[in-house]
Amino acid sequence: MLTNTAITQLSLYDMAQAIHNQTLSATQIMEACLARIAEREPKVRAWQCINPDAALEQAHQMDRLPIKGILHGLPIGIKDTIETRNFPTERGSSIYANQTTPWDAASVTLIQRAGGIILGKTVTTEFAYFRPGPTANPHNLAHTPGGSSSGSAAAVADYMIPAALGTQTAGSLIRPASYCGVVGYKPTFGDFSLCGVRPVSSSLDTLGVITRTVHDAALMRAVLLNQPFHPLKEERSLPSRIAFCHTPSWLEADSYTRAQLEKTALNLASGNTQVSLIELPTICDDMVSVQKTIMAYEAAQNLSFEYDYHKTQLSPQICELIEDGMLISHEDYLFALATVQKAREQMALFFEKWDAILAPAAPGEAPLGLQATGDPIFSRMWNMLGLPCLTIPAFQGPQNLPIGIQVIGAQGEDEHLLQIALGIEKKLNK
């Protein structure tokens, strides 16, 4: 019989298989996760709110019912920017303290349709921007877990739950996944419904998932698309053409991370797999500044109520974003959107030659301190382009903290990207 520790360390897919094969019950899995949370939550502080009794009762009920779906009886965490009727949605702000909605977000409903149990809401930053919550990095509590999907990344990394929802507008899935040593998956822009997610920047906001394996990310993708899950095929997992890209922000990464990324790229080249150092179209050089322009302009509109009526409850960080956005003209905003469209067209041609791009996920290890969440510099461009991205844990830094690599695919080619990422994950784990 598996111990609680062994149960919590199972992947989401293995937990699902255990329930389907009746080698584990939903109650056993929930009890193991709750025991882990009871042990670690006082230190990690990944949860904004949680209801252990209700979750355990739901697990008991699931054990008495026929299998409902691929997530039957499995505990899932929900980032606290995503609306839930049974838990408050506070968005990391005192403005919405204890506020509930009479509905669930579409993503939450789809998880429940697949049999998943919503264990609670994970900590986020204020309006998914830069002011951090209390969450600590489970690998070293003195370091940030990243933002804004901080609680989701920390809870999955610390074996409290097998999967959680997050969102990304700049780097809020990719960066915390890298810092916490888990898989962060941001799909092609628009793939997952944002119904029930308060917008910050409507041209950028993207729902995604945090898991511990690429296979689990693929499973969650099927759930959020309301499609049957077909396991990834390992024999087709490694592509033939990977473009290793420094990106225009290469020097923002520390020297250790740059060296290890180059070493990792070389190690991935074997057999019929080609890994080549490439340069992106020159239009991509402007994507970080373009992303900042569009994000600020749209945030100034989407957060206008909070700014006008609750400004004293807003942080200096979010006020600065809103005020910067107010200074951007509509003409400059339209020019930025047009620039993005041109870049997307050029990247579509780029992906005719390459299966995927390998790039940094973050500047390095998670920074010391909980007062900031780190720099999203290595995600802004890819998120702006609407491309699907994954962080895969790759190596340890000088302070023994995780550092991930980012794999980027062509727009709309998420299934191919996941297959590629599985092959990379397998090679990294050898």
Side-chain angles (χ1 to χ4, degrees):
M1 185 173 179
L2 292 178
T3 64
N4 280 348
T5 298
I7 291 172
T8 59
Q9 292 180 354
L10 293 172
S11 69
L12 179 71
Y13 179 73
D14 286 343
M15 286 183 183
Q17 290 296 102
I19 286 182
H20 283 243
N21 297 333
Q22 298 184 329
T23 55
L24 281 175
S25 67
T27 299
Q28 288 175 298
I29 292 172
M30 186 63 73
E31 287 176 340
C33 289
L34 291 174
R36 179 65 176 176
I37 291 169
E39 174 191 357
R40 291 285 292 169
E41 174 60 10
K43 297 178 181 178
V44 177
R45 296 171 291 180
W47 296 91
Q48 185 66 27
C49 57
I50 190 171
N51 191 333
D53 292 338
L56 194 55
E57 178 55 34
Q58 288 182 66
H60 293 328
Q61 292 175 5
M62 285 295 188
D63 286 332
R64 296 192 290 266
L65 296 173
I67 297 295
K68 185 177 181 180
I70 188 65
L71 294 181
H72 187 94
L74 299 183
I76 306 294
I78 307 296
K79 181 177 178 178
D80 195 30
T81 55
I82 302 169
E83 292 170 348
T84 46
R85 58 195 166 102
N86 293 325
F87 298 94
T89 303
E90 299 185 342
R91 304 175 180 93
S93 171
S94 61
I95 296 170
Y96 293 100
N98 300 314
Q99 293 287 315
T100 58
T101 60
W103 54 75
D104 288 323
S107 54
V108 174
T109 300
L110 290 170
I111 287 170
Q112 293 169 326
R113 181 182 292 177
I117 297 173
I118 307 306
L119 183 51
K121 305 297 284 291
T122 56
V123 170
T124 184
T125 59
E126 178 194 34
F127 296 108
Y129 194 54
F130 280 150
R131 185 178 71 179
T135 308
N137 192 308
H139 297 278
N140 186 323
L141 299 173
H143 290 251
T144 179
S148 63
S149 304
S150 49
S152 291
V156 173
D158 208 41
Y159 303 102
M160 298 181 187
I161 44 172
L165 294 186
T167 63
Q168 178 162 298
T169 305
S172 299
L173 284 158
I174 297 300
R175 183 169 85 266
S178 180
Y179 287 168
C180 292
V182 289
V183 171
Y185 166 52
K186 184 207 79 70
T188 292
F189 177 77
D191 262 14
F192 297 162
S193 172
L194 285 172
C195 180
V197 183
R198 176 65 185 274
V200 175
S201 176
S202 305
S203 297
L204 299 168
D205 297 342
T206 307
L207 183 75
V209 299
I210 301 284
T211 62
R212 287 192 293 273
T213 71
V214 172
H215 209 151
D216 289 352
L219 190 158
M220 288 297 296
R221 173 176 169 81
V223 169
L224 293 171
L225 292 177
N226 197 32
Q227 297 293 310
F229 173 59
H230 302 290
L232 299 174
K233 297 179 180 179
E234 295 189 4
E235 67 274 12
R236 290 175 39 234
S237 58
L238 205 59
S240 57
R241 303 169 301 171
I242 298 178
F244 176 44
C245 174
H246 283 169
T247 84
S249 305
W250 178 246
L251 294 180
E252 298 292 332
D254 62 49
S255 59
Y256 179 87
T257 297
R258 295 198 305 268
Q260 289 300 311
L261 279 165
E262 290 179 332
K263 181 180 177 181
T264 300
L266 287 173
N267 290 342
L268 290 175
S270 64
N272 62 356
T273 300
Q274 172 190 351
V275 181
S276 301
L277 180 63
I278 56 89
E279 291 186 3
L280 295 172
T282 56
I283 195 171
C284 292
D285 293 350
D286 298 326
M287 282 301 101
V288 169
S289 62
V290 167
Q291 191 274 345
K292 290 180 179 180
T293 294
I294 292 172
M295 182 176 176
Y297 180 89
E298 294 183 347
Q301 294 185 344
N302 289 326
L303 298 172
S304 56
F305 169 78
E306 289 81 1
Y307 186 83
D308 284 2
Y309 294 96
H310 297 280
K311 186 177 178 181
T312 58
Q313 292 173 264
L314 297 177
S315 70
Q317 296 99 313
I318 202 77
C319 285
E320 182 180 9
L321 175 70
I322 295 168
E323 289 160 3
D324 286 347
M326 290 176 175
L327 297 175
I328 297 169
S329 70
H330 187 61
E331 289 74 17
D332 286 345
Y333 169 68
L334 292 177
F335 181 79
L337 290 177
T339 303
V340 172
Q341 183 56 37
K342 291 177 183 177
R344 288 177 177 174
E345 291 168 0
Q346 291 192 28
M347 288 305 298
L349 296 174
F350 179 90
F351 275 107
E352 291 179 359
K353 299 179 181 178
W354 302 98
D355 293 296
I357 297 172
L358 190 69
E365 294 170 287
L368 180 65
L370 303 183
Q371 293 75 42
T373 61
D375 191 343
I377 186 69
F378 288 108
S379 298
R380 288 185 185 272
M381 175 174 65
W382 309 118
N383 200 71
M384 182 73 270
L385 293 169
L387 303 175
C389 309
L390 257 99
T391 294
I392 305 172
F395 47 90
Q396 300 293 113
Q399 299 179 79
N400 204 34
L401 291 170
I403 300 175
I405 59 172
Q406 186 172 189
V407 189
I408 302 100
Q411 188 170 12
E413 295 293 332
D414 292 58
E415 303 290 346
H416 188 44
L417 174 65
L418 287 160
Q419 197 70 58
I420 290 168
L422 177 65
I424 293 173
E425 181 183 59
K426 286 173 60 181
K427 293 208 72 172
L428 291 174
N429 289 335
K430 281 184 178 179

